[in-house]
Amino acid sequence: MGGMRTLIWFHRDIRLHDHAGLSLALARKDELHATVIQPLNAGPAKLAHWQALVENFRQNLNLLHIPLTILPSESELPHLARETRSDVIFTHERMNFRDQQALNELQTKLPCSLEIHGELTLYSSAQVRNLELNALKPFTRFKKFAEAHWQVPDEIETALTDQSLGLERLKDYIWKTKAVLHYHKTRNGLMEFNDSSKLSPWLAWGVLSPRRIYFELQKFRAHTSQHEGIDALVFELIWRDYFKFLSTLQGESFFTRDGLRPTPFEYSTNDKIFEAWTKGQTGEDFVDAHMRELLKTGWMSNRGRQNVASYLAKTLKLDWLPGAEWFESQLIDEDPENNFGNWQYLAGVGTDPRDRVFNIQRQADIYDLERAYRAKWLS
Ligand code: FAD
């Protein structure tokens, strides 16, 4: 073909590798323009992280002579399409109801066509769209089914290599430090950087594709006889897929208070207590330390997230939706499917077959017996 003017909207796939839209446009020798849209309502740490990764991406694109325009909101996209005289806009598929709705609305305002190229998951989403929601209940059943019937598709060849901090982190975690070998033992740790992979700040924005991580893990697996850590990490990547697929099959209720079933108990709202929770001033020191870490850095461990979410929804019995929205505004690895999916699960309105409540004191004793974590964030 050739001669097409293509605007690629990099959204949760801000990278050069494993990129279906970019690969197609390069193969066709299209004239390319790139755009990214700044996330709305982002707290300082989240915004700074996003800006840094976009700046890094701009440098990668510069080497390919592809100009990048950063837009303040999606409503500016039609204007940019006109200005660049684009024939078509490429963007990756949307998984959750909210993003799909936004895309549908936007599409009616565009001066050109919009094509979907690219998936966000490890397994292909095409095969999930035909499933019933019940196939995802519970997670273990879904995982067994996926492993028995599906294969992780190969990466899309773009013949381009990003110079990105995400790929550096991947190399470091797997090959240099080999910290992945002890992942299964340390993943709940609160203090050490290598306790868990810390890949999510890159994965959430698509700086790293999940398939790149998966195949890098498989390569490493062939070099060692110790597989527990590697397999445990793949297990978590399947959880990531799970919430994305759940959001697609669940539709609108993925973002509602009642989720998949009516809330098991009455929620109340109390702005003062909620604000104390956000600021790490509830008086429950294990919760407060985590909430202060989040406020300051935009990060919190998975163990911490489970505890503070359970505390808000099950102990304080406050509405969990503002909690999920608070996380959404603050997390540097903010990801709508993983965030709302995990919150729904912990609030007891998701697919968790057990209605569990975290005992905060017990959790603090197990994971912070010496109080080092609390001392770090409460001082
Ligand atoms: P690792 O333990 O090294 O795991 C590797 C990867 O597996 C992660 O990067 C992530 O992509 C995936 N993963 C790990 N745990 C989970 C999980 N529980 N659910 C789904 N995928 C998982 N993760 C996000 O990426 N963005 C979010 O906005 C987000 N919000 C969350 C909110 C709550 C209330 C809870 C309980 C969890 C949330 N998670 C979210 C999941 C998890 O906490 C983070 O993915 C993990 O802490 C990231 O650290 P890591 O990369 O070192 O994880």
Side-chain angles (χ1 to χ4, degrees):
M1 263 171 106
M4 288 276 277
R5 270 189 291 267
T6 300
L7 176 61
I8 305 192
W9 173 11
F10 292 88
H11 182 62
R12 295 281 180 166
D13 56 352
I14 306 178
R15 62 172 180 269
L16 300 182
H17 68 272
D18 192 19
H19 198 289
L22 185 61
S23 164
L24 175 62
L26 288 171
R28 290 195 318 203
K29 300 196 171 26
D30 289 357
E31 192 180 313
L32 288 179
H33 196 103
T35 188
V36 289
I37 300 175
Q38 191 169 305
L40 291 175
N41 306 323
K46 175 179 170 183
L47 189 60
H49 176 67
W50 185 87
Q51 286 169 335
L53 68 86
V54 165
E55 183 47 38
N56 184 247
F57 187 55
R58 182 201 290 286
Q59 289 167 18
N60 284 324
L61 289 172
N62 270 348
L63 298 173
L64 303 168
H65 309 289
I66 301 174
L68 173 72
T69 302
I70 302 174
L71 295 177
S73 81
E74 288 186 10
S75 61
E76 303 287 320
L77 194 66
H79 178 67
L80 179 65
R82 251 177 242 115
E83 202 175 74
T84 52
R85 293 186 295 129
S86 297
D87 299 304
V88 61
I89 298 175
F90 282 2
T91 193
H92 64 71
E93 72 171 350
R94 300 297 190 266
M95 311 262 351
N96 69 68
F97 178 83
R98 202 179 61 182
D99 285 359
Q100 188 60 57
Q101 288 279 96
L103 192 65
N104 292 349
E105 268 176 41
L106 186 62
Q107 219 164 339
T108 62
K109 299 178 185 135
L110 293 175
C112 60
S113 58
L114 181 133
E115 289 180 20
I116 302 296
H117 297 287
E119 301 180 328
L120 297 179
T121 43
L122 201 54
Y123 291 115
S124 176
S125 60
Q127 49 209 1
V128 171
R129 292 183 189 271
N130 300 324
L131 293 180
E132 295 290 324
L133 180 61
N134 272 343
L136 301 186
K137 292 179 188 169
F139 168 76
T140 40
R141 180 157 161 244
F142 160 78
K143 181 176 174 281
K144 262 191 208 148
F145 176 85
E147 285 174 334
H149 295 95
W150 299 339
Q151 281 206 328
V152 177
D154 287 340
E155 280 188 54
I156 308 277
E157 273 298 327
T158 56
L160 298 171
T161 314
D162 310 70
Q163 306 293 322
S164 96
L165 290 171
L167 286 167
E168 277 304 303
R169 173 63 191 153
L170 183 64
K171 256 192 247 157
D172 198 64
Y173 187 66
I174 296 181
W175 296 100
K176 273 199 208 144
T177 62
K178 298 186 172 41
V180 64
L181 292 176
H182 58 66
Y183 173 74
H184 57 301
K185 290 190 190 144
T186 58
R187 59 180 292 267
N188 282 310
L190 305 180
M191 296 295 284
E192 300 300 325
F193 190 68
N194 275 340
D195 281 343
S196 67
S197 73
K198 305 297 184 301
L199 290 172
S200 60
W202 314 112
L203 205 40
W205 303 104
V207 174
L208 269 178
S209 90
R211 291 177 191 160
R212 169 60 59 93
I213 297 173
Y214 177 81
F215 288 116
E216 209 61 38
L217 285 171
Q218 298 313 313
K219 257 190 244 164
F220 185 60
R221 202 173 192 279
H223 278 76
T224 172
S225 56
Q226 301 169 55
H227 293 162
E228 281 165 290
I230 299 167
D231 294 345
L233 194 56
V234 172
F235 182 91
E236 294 304 325
L237 290 175
I238 298 176
W239 264 109
R240 177 181 176 276
D241 265 23
Y242 177 73
F243 284 124
K244 293 198 180 292
F245 296 148
L246 184 64
S247 79
T248 301
L249 297 186
Q250 196 179 331
E252 193 167 4
S253 74
F254 192 71
F255 294 102
T256 62
R257 184 168 302 109
D258 281 354
L260 285 170
R261 50 191 146 126
T263 315
F265 46 77
E266 276 295 306
Y267 278 105
S268 56
T269 48
N270 182 322
D271 293 348
K272 240 178 153 176
I273 302 181
F274 178 72
E275 198 185 327
W277 177 82
T278 62
K279 291 186 173 156
Q281 291 171 353
T282 65
E284 181 64 74
D285 61 5
F286 194 54
V287 170
D288 289 348
H290 280 104
M291 295 307 289
R292 290 188 202 183
E293 181 182 17
L294 175 64
L295 194 59
K296 213 162 180 179
T297 66
W299 172 261
M300 193 193 292
S301 68
N302 185 57
R303 179 58 43 182
R305 295 179 204 203
Q306 290 178 327
N307 272 292
V308 303
S310 170
Y311 184 71
L312 186 81
K314 300 268 178 75
T315 307
L316 296 176
K317 295 191 171 33
L318 290 184
D319 184 358
W320 65 270
L321 276 179
E325 283 158 11
W326 176 252
F327 266 37
E328 183 165 49
S329 68
Q330 301 299 309
L331 282 170
I332 57 172
D333 64 6
E334 179 271 310
D335 171 298
E337 293 89 13
N338 276 353
N339 186 37
F340 280 84
N342 270 289
W343 269 97
Q344 180 180 254
Y345 195 85
L346 285 156
V349 294
T351 56
D352 187 357
R354 293 170 290 167
D355 187 20
R356 67 192 98 189
V357 183
F358 280 68
N359 178 333
I360 305 295
Q361 282 309 322
R362 204 173 120 69
Q363 291 279 313
D365 287 348
I366 297 172
Y367 296 105
D368 191 32
L369 186 59
E370 308 291 331
R371 305 185 69 88
Y373 177 75
R374 278 166 285 181
K376 182 173 175 186
W377 294 104
L378 295 177
S379 59

